[in-house]
Structures are given as structure tokens and as C-alpha cells.
Amino acid sequence: MQGGGEQREMWGSRIGFILAAAGSAIGLGNIWRFPYVLGESGGFAFLVVYIFFVLFIGIPIMAAELAIGRGSGRNPVGAFRLLKAGTPWWLVGAMGILTGVIILSYYSVVAGWTLNYVIKAVATFDTAFATSETAEGTFNHFLSSSGQQVLFHFLFMILCIVVVSQGIKGGIERWSKILMPTLLVLLVLLIVRAVTLPGAGAGLAFLLQPDFTKLNLNVILTALGQAFYSLSLGMGAIITYGSYLNKKENLFSSATTIAGLDMGIALMAGLAIFPAVFAMGFEASSGPGLTYIVLPRVFAELPAGQILAIIFFVLLSIAALTSAISLLEVMVTFVTDELKWPRSRATIIMAAVAFVLGVPSALGFGVWSEITIFGQSFFDASDFITANVMLPLGGLFIALFVGWGWDIEKVKKEISMGHTTLRFFTVWIWILRIAAPIALLAIFISNIAA
Ligand code: PFF
């Protein structure tokens, strides 16, 4: 078996690793998806369930992925092959890599919209978002302009190549250390503006009012799925980042810090968005269009709205970039480990694969709108199969692997590095053995049946 263990690069510092992993977690899922899912699922009650799942399922699985990555020092396929040689467990890693390619393919399309909206916010803000009709028209027109869809998908992929080709420490870590603090500052600026608007209280009330009558099985499973997607779990991104981590770091505290940052940013995105949406008299439950139709309209009604719009779409582009590079890195680590390709070649070829796979998603809003897979567009089908089927399935197998498949003494040894005590070990292992598999099986089945 081959492995990249010999002269593998490592993260340069703990903070660099945490920011890179938080950068993977914090993405379109936090700022685009979380607010509208929360809006559609009834606000506070959803939030409580979401936080519960992050704490009791998300953090344990993140620690499990970190343990697999660091324990092996390999890509997801190589990791399972090394830790459990001669068994089919490596298929879990292979499915993860495939999931990553598919997610990256459509993620880059949405990220391309965001890049395009930075330009719109700068160049055509006054006309594009003057009324609700023009805002909707702007978005629909852009969606159906196939040339632009492909162009911005392409440009975004180039940004990913620039970062990933520079390596772990000189690329991903260095850029995360610049981009993540920038993201935080921009988000704080937006929050300050939003919560000081007259009428912002209704948005805050929406976020903070406990209405548990909205809770049903569907909302609970949506919260679990969102927690999982948001934390970048189930496909080997965290295994990959963990494989570059040194043995001194405490895995439980790393997982908790990363999840805490991810949850914090999702909540902050809610705080930036809902008070403004309510203050301007818009609906909270506007679905995926919330970001590209409602928010620009909200900004257009505010003093200095153009600047806020620019800030918002730059922020969203940054969030998308730091997540997309983790998706690309999974594939790049795989081929540099297994095929010993140089990083630059691996990066360009893997990005090209994801780009080509994303083209049907990009065209599905325009010239290829007739083509469907099981009645869904290519874009929706890619999102559905990955977020609702492959990620929970990957997470299920990762939990089962660490809980039952891997040797418990080896798991203990890996976790105890960087720890003085093993206080949470028993609780953790039983979550992985029983609770997490049941929860993940439940989302998987309900998503398939839906
Ligand atoms: N966590 C990212 C987000 O919330 O946007 C999406 C994602 C990135 C999922 C990387 C999975 C992954 F491996």
C-alpha cells in the first residue's frame, strides 16, 4: 500500500488548523442555507434542536473523523486501508471522495452566483434591486444566462485552484488566517446595522421566541441534516484535515472549538439577516431566494445599502471559498497520497473534474432546463443525493467504524494523545456506537422515503 505518511506537510499552528477546519464548516450552509431553513422551520424551536444535534451528534462524529485522519495520516481511502487492512471499510472513504466531487461541482455554481452578485452590488445596484420585481427579474435572468453560469462557476474554481495549489500550510492555512477574521469583521458590521434598525425587534423575537408547536419529525430531521452538512461531516473533509494534524492536539477540544465557531457564525448570520428582513417588512420564510432576492431588496431600502450589499456578498464569497477548498483538498490529498502526483497537477486535474461535473448543474437553469434526473434538475439531484443520502450514510459508517470496527485500544490511544484524562471517552464511544447511528439512519430513511 502506498501512503503519504513519509514527508507529509503539517499545519503550521493550532490556530491555523482550527481556522482552516472552521473555514470548511462555515460556508454557504451557514449563511445561505441556515437562515432560510430556520425561517421555514419556525425559528427558535428549530434552533434548539439544531444546537442539540451539533453538541451530541456533530461534535462526537467530528472527533471520530479527526481521530481517523490523524491516526492514519492518510487520505480517506488510504486511512481506512491502513487502519483496517484487507477489509471493505475503504469503500467508506471512496464514497466520501465521490461525495466531495459532487458537492464541489454544484457548490461552485452557487459560489459563482455569489461572485457575480459582488459585481452586481458594485456596478448595477441601483437598477437591479430597485423593486421586488426587478430583484426577482435580475436573479431569474442571471440563472437562465447559461454563459454567465458557466463563466462564474469557472472563475470560482480558479480561485480554489490558486489556494489549494499552494499547499496545506502556505495555501489553505495562510488564506484561512486572512479570510476567516475578515469574514467575522464583515459579519459584525452587518449585525450592528441590522439590530439598530427601527423594527428590528420583530426579527429578534422570531429568532428567540420558543414556539415548540412547530416541531415535528420533519423539522427535527432537517435540523440534524443541517447540523451534519454545516459541520462538513460524513465525507472525509475532516479526516483529510485531521491527517495533517500533529499528535499534540486534543481532538475533543478541537472538535468542540470548530463546531462552536460554526454554530456561532450560523447564529450571527441569523442575527444579521432576520432583524433586517423583518424591519423592512419582508417574509422570513422565503426559501433559497432569501439571499439573492430578498436580501438585496432589504439592502436597497437601507441607507448606505449598496455598501452593505457589497459587504454581504464578499462575506458569502469568502465563506464559500474556504469550504470549497476543503472539498477540493479531499481529492487532492487522495491523488497525492495514492498516485504520488505533484500537488499542482493534482489540484488542476481534480478541479477540472469538479468543474466539468458542475457544468450540467450550471446549465440546468437555462439551456438544459428540460433535462432531469428522477424528475429533478441536475443541480437539485446533486444536492439531494449528497446532502440527504451520501453524507448521512458516510457519517453512519464513520461512527460505526470508530465505535465497532476499529480496535478500541487504538481508538483510546489516538484520543488520549494531547489529553491528560479520558473523561469523555466512554460517553463518546457509546454515542458513536448507538445514538449517532440511530439518528443518522433515521435521517437517511426519512430522506429516501420523502
Ligand atoms: N460545511 C459547508 C457549508 O456549511 O457550507 C459545506 C460542506 C463543505 C460540506 C465541505 C461538506 C464538506 F466536506
Side-chain angles (χ1 to χ4, degrees):
M1 186 186 8
Q2 306 213 329
E6 309 87 39
Q7 345 95 343
R8 237 162 178 264
E9 228 190 315
M10 289 280 156
W11 300 108
S13 61
R14 173 178 160 82
I15 184 76
F17 158 70
I18 295 282
L19 288 178
S24 168
I26 296 164
L28 295 167
N30 300 58
I31 298 163
W32 172 59
R33 196 164 185 272
F34 179 79
Y36 83 74
V37 171
L38 181 97
E40 288 175 339
S41 307
F44 187 80
F46 174 86
L47 201 61
V48 172
V49 183
Y50 175 77
I51 293 173
F52 175 85
F53 284 134
V54 169
L55 295 179
F56 293 101
I57 307 284
I59 292 175
I61 294 196
M62 184 171 287
E65 287 205 25
L66 288 174
I68 295 173
R70 190 178 67 177
S72 63
R74 301 276 160 92
N75 69 89
V77 170
F80 286 100
R81 272 213 246 136
L82 182 81
L83 299 176
K84 220 60 199 171
T87 65
W89 280 109
W90 65 270
L91 288 167
V92 179
M95 182 174 78
I97 290 169
L98 182 65
T99 312
V101 188
I102 303 175
I103 296 182
L104 181 58
S105 75
Y106 74 86
Y107 203 84
S108 167
V109 174
V110 186
W113 301 351
T114 311
L115 286 185
N116 179 274
Y117 265 62
V118 174
I119 297 174
K120 284 191 178 24
V122 172
T124 57
F125 184 75
D126 290 336
T127 47
F129 309 114
T131 65
S132 295
E133 286 71 42
T134 57
E136 212 170 318
T138 298
F139 187 53
N140 290 336
H141 177 73
F142 172 58
L143 276 188
S144 58
S145 313
S146 294
Q148 295 219 26
Q149 289 291 312
V150 175
L151 174 67
F152 283 90
H153 167 45
F154 179 78
L155 292 178
F156 183 76
M157 210 56 101
I158 297 286
L159 290 181
C160 296
I161 293 177
V162 168
V163 176
V164 173
S165 62
Q166 294 173 339
I168 294 295
K169 201 166 141 192
I172 297 179
E173 179 169 349
R174 185 163 65 92
W175 281 100
S176 301
K177 278 161 115 174
I178 299 168
L179 294 174
M180 296 313 286
T182 309
L183 179 139
L184 188 67
V185 171
L186 296 180
L187 193 52
V188 169
L189 284 178
L190 284 181
I191 293 176
V192 169
R193 171 68 274 197
V195 298
T196 51
L197 285 172
L204 288 177
F206 173 76
L207 275 179
L208 302 175
Q209 217 152 58
D211 176 7
F212 286 97
T213 56
K214 293 258 171 58
L215 274 192
N216 56 37
L217 187 63
N218 199 12
V219 168
I220 292 174
L221 293 172
T222 306
L224 180 55
Q226 173 65 21
F228 218 66
Y229 183 84
S230 186
L231 292 171
S232 299
L233 298 175
M235 55 139 292
I238 302 296
I239 295 180
T240 302
Y241 276 15
S243 76
Y244 296 105
L245 186 61
N246 74 49
K247 299 282 186 194
K248 290 199 301 281
E249 301 304 336
N250 178 325
L251 298 185
F252 286 160
S253 82
S254 297
T256 309
T257 310
I258 297 160
L261 289 170
D262 183 64
M263 204 156 58
I265 296 285
L267 289 176
M268 288 171 73
L271 269 185
I273 290 171
F274 289 113
V277 168
F278 276 82
M280 295 292 128
F282 289 95
E283 284 287 312
S285 55
S286 318
L290 183 66
T291 298
Y292 297 96
I293 299 169
V294 177
L295 280 185
R297 273 298 300 139
V298 170
F299 294 136
E301 295 296 317
L302 294 175
Q306 182 170 15
I307 297 181
L308 296 174
I310 297 170
I311 291 177
F312 177 78
F313 288 109
V314 169
L315 169 124
L316 196 59
S317 303
I318 291 176
L321 181 62
T322 53
S323 296
I325 56 179
S326 74
L327 291 160
L328 182 55
E329 182 58 42
V330 174
M331 295 184 271
V332 168
T333 297
F334 172 64
V335 289
T336 50
D337 272 2
E338 301 293 322
L339 306 176
K340 303 285 181 217
W341 284 9
R343 172 168 284 268
S344 51
R345 189 205 305 169
T347 307
I348 291 171
I349 292 182
M350 292 299 113
V353 170
F355 170 74
V356 170
L357 200 64
V359 168
S361 289
L363 297 182
F365 299 100
V367 288
W368 284 9
S369 60
E370 304 293 305
I371 302 173
T372 57
I373 306 175
F374 300 118
Q376 285 185 319
S377 69
F378 206 84
F379 180 96
D380 288 338
S382 305
D383 181 42
F384 179 86
I385 186 93
T386 50
N388 295 350
V389 180
M390 294 168 86
L391 288 184
L393 208 57
L396 169 69
F397 285 119
I398 286 166
L400 291 175
F401 177 75
V402 175
W404 302 102
W406 197 2
D407 179 346
I408 181 100
E409 288 311 314
K410 291 189 181 147
V411 178
K412 227 181 216 159
K413 188 162 153 250
E414 191 54 48
I415 285 293
S416 63
M417 289 174 179
H419 264 242
T420 42
T421 65
L422 275 175
R423 237 186 323 159
F424 300 112
F425 186 81
T426 311
V427 179
W428 176 67
I429 205 84
W430 283 100
I431 288 178
L432 294 180
R433 286 180 169 177
I434 308 281
I438 291 176
L440 290 165
L441 209 59
I443 355 183
F444 176 68
I445 292 171
S446 81
N447 284 336
I448 293 285

